[in-house]
Amino acid sequence: MSETPRQQQGPRLREALRGIPAYKPGKPAQGADGGPAFKLSSNENPYPPLPGVLDAAVAAAGSFNRYPDMGTVALIAELAQRFGVPEAHIATGTGSVGVAQSLIQATAGPGDEVIYAWRSFEAYPIITQVNGATSVRVPLTDGDVHDLDAMLAAVTERTRLIFVCNPNNPTGTVVRRAELERFLDAVPADVLVVLDEAYREFVRDAEVPDGVELYRDRPNVCVLRTFSKAYGLAGLRVGFAVAHEPVATALRQTAVPFGVSQLAQDAAVVSLRSEDALLERVAALVAERDRVEAALAGQGWELPASQANFVWLRLGERTMDFAAACDAAGVVVRPFAGEGVRVTIGETEGNDLFLAVAERFRKEL
Ligand SMILES: *Cc1c(COP(=O)(O)O)cnc(C)c1O
């Protein structure tokens, strides 16, 4: 580099950015032979916005010549009431991925370590590396569950943050109360543990703890939630963290100013007030998840029990073939080459198309 005259060089970009894996969004759906197509690749909610939400968003759109409320005051007040936590313990962001990125900015830079299970949410390695911190990946158990003992053993002097994705994306598996509490009690108090609960609303296992209960007497625990999945606001980009004041304050310091649009804020407030309709839809998706799991088991598949709005088929070398067969049938799934396929629970018709491909595949195995 030093031999090229400065005038002939492009802008210097940080070394840390070299080799960052690209985030792979779920492919847009394209119907087979012009037929209907179902996008089961991004864990989105198949339902339209909850009652009143579209009206609130449309009304907010009328003033998008103005900046949004930077403090997201009304949304924070609504969330504080809903969860029974102080307003000072809540920080909002551009989706919970935006909040997670702020958490890393607030805790871990070059030389620092961020621990997470693998495979888990693909945003973790990206946001860790962007900030120059080092990823420490701890393999899931054979049952595709977080190996909390191994994660604890991976803690070093340099560890600054640990993600626990519960339920885990893409496997749908959970860690339960007793093991998680034991883990939290053993992690050094100066390491931030982030409980990423993007799929919390879909959990039916009573032994899976609510992170908002666990954080209360633990200053080093931060809970991440999102409006993107159960609430169906993925396109509006709004999520939030619940954490004690020093962490919540750090999140406000590192957040992109005015990152959460007024559309998103108003839509989120109305969504929180539509709880009956929300619970009804979530219940329908959970019932559909149970139906899909039972059908797969009936076909002879062995898959981890999912507590989220997707299922995980460990297809190994056949992953890409399976994804291509789904594509051809008009249903788009999310393959992880060489590992497996994650399939979102969507409209019944789309789920049935997926089940038909799975049945054909099973017979060929
Ligand atoms: C989808 C998802 C999120 C939420 O992303 P948003 O930025 O809120 O849309 C967070 N964590 C996990 C594990 C997810 O799967």
Side-chain angles (χ1 to χ4, degrees):
M1 284 282 270
S2 58
E3 285 164 26
T4 312
R6 208 166 167 185
Q7 279 303 345
Q8 291 167 25
Q9 289 180 19
R12 292 189 200 205
L13 304 177
R14 287 168 52 230
E15 280 300 314
L17 302 188
R18 223 178 268 271
I20 288 183
Y23 188 99
K24 289 205 188 77
K27 276 202 296 181
Q30 271 178 338
D33 308 325
F38 296 90
K39 185 180 175 209
L40 304 183
S41 53
S42 295
N43 298 343
E44 292 152 341
N45 194 314
Y47 291 99
L50 287 159
V53 172
L54 193 55
D55 288 343
V58 169
S63 40
F64 62 36
N65 54 312
R66 307 289 176 193
Y67 285 106
D69 170 15
M70 183 157 143
T72 64
V73 171
L75 176 55
I76 285 180
E78 193 78 21
L79 287 167
Q81 205 185 354
R82 157 63 53 92
F83 291 104
V85 303
E87 293 180 6
H89 286 198
I90 297 176
T92 57
T94 55
S96 53
V97 172
V99 184
Q101 184 152 18
S102 289
L103 282 168
I104 296 195
Q105 263 188 302
T107 56
D112 299 329
E113 293 172 352
V114 175
I115 298 176
Y116 49 86
W118 203 249
R119 181 165 284 274
S120 187
F121 188 33
E122 64 181 323
Y124 300 153
I126 299 171
I127 59 183
T128 300
Q129 194 177 335
V130 164
N131 217 45
T134 301
S135 281
V136 177
R137 298 176 177 193
V138 177
L140 297 170
T141 66
D142 289 343
D144 287 322
V145 179
H146 275 61
D147 188 340
L148 292 179
D149 289 338
M151 290 174 77
L152 189 60
V155 172
T156 72
E157 282 292 311
R158 292 167 179 249
T159 307
R160 294 292 174 271
L161 186 150
I162 305 173
F163 283 110
V164 176
C165 190
N166 200 29
N168 187 46
N169 176 0
T171 59
T173 51
V174 290
V175 289
R176 299 197 170 81
R177 185 171 288 105
E179 54 178 330
L180 186 54
E181 283 185 347
R182 217 181 319 122
F183 174 77
L184 294 176
D185 290 343
V187 170
D190 66 348
V191 173
L192 183 67
V193 181
V194 178
L195 304 177
D196 185 345
E197 298 185 334
Y199 302 96
R200 172 70 203 170
E201 294 84 356
F202 300 102
V203 171
R204 289 295 178 270
D205 181 336
E207 286 301 305
V208 178
D210 179 339
V212 176
E213 298 310 320
L214 292 181
Y215 107 97
R216 289 182 196 276
D217 55 357
R218 292 182 169 87
N220 69 327
V221 170
C222 173
V223 183
L224 279 186
R225 297 280 183 93
T226 180
F227 285 95
S228 296
K229 307 289 160 57
Y231 283 93
L233 301 183
L236 286 182
R237 314 306 304 127
V238 52
F240 61 98
V242 182
H244 288 263
E245 230 169 301
V247 174
T249 302
L251 283 173
R252 277 182 218 108
Q253 290 171 323
T254 49
V256 174
F258 303 108
V260 184
S261 74
Q262 202 62 49
L263 260 79
Q265 294 183 37
D266 293 359
V269 166
V270 177
S271 297
L272 284 168
R273 292 176 184 165
S274 303
E275 189 161 37
D276 290 349
L278 172 84
L279 293 180
E280 211 174 287
R281 289 171 180 196
V282 168
L285 288 169
V286 167
E288 190 63 4
R289 171 184 80 201
D290 294 347
R291 180 183 77 90
V292 168
E293 281 189 329
L296 290 168
Q299 293 173 8
W301 293 96
E302 280 178 28
L303 67 164
S306 172
Q307 289 288 308
N309 67 338
F310 52 83
V311 294
W312 173 246
L313 289 184
R314 191 167 272 294
L315 283 146
E317 293 309 310
R318 306 218 51 207
T319 294
M320 298 315 286
D321 290 344
F322 186 89
C326 286
D327 259 356
V331 39
V332 186
V333 300
R334 175 69 171 88
F336 296 84
E339 294 178 59
V341 169
R342 186 193 69 201
V343 186
T344 306
I345 301 300
E347 301 87 340
T348 304
E349 197 182 343
N351 302 334
D352 284 341
L353 285 174
F354 155 62
L355 285 173
V357 175
E359 183 163 37
R360 252 192 295 129
F361 239 74
R362 188 68 218 170
K363 288 182 181 146
E364 291 165 15
L365 282 181

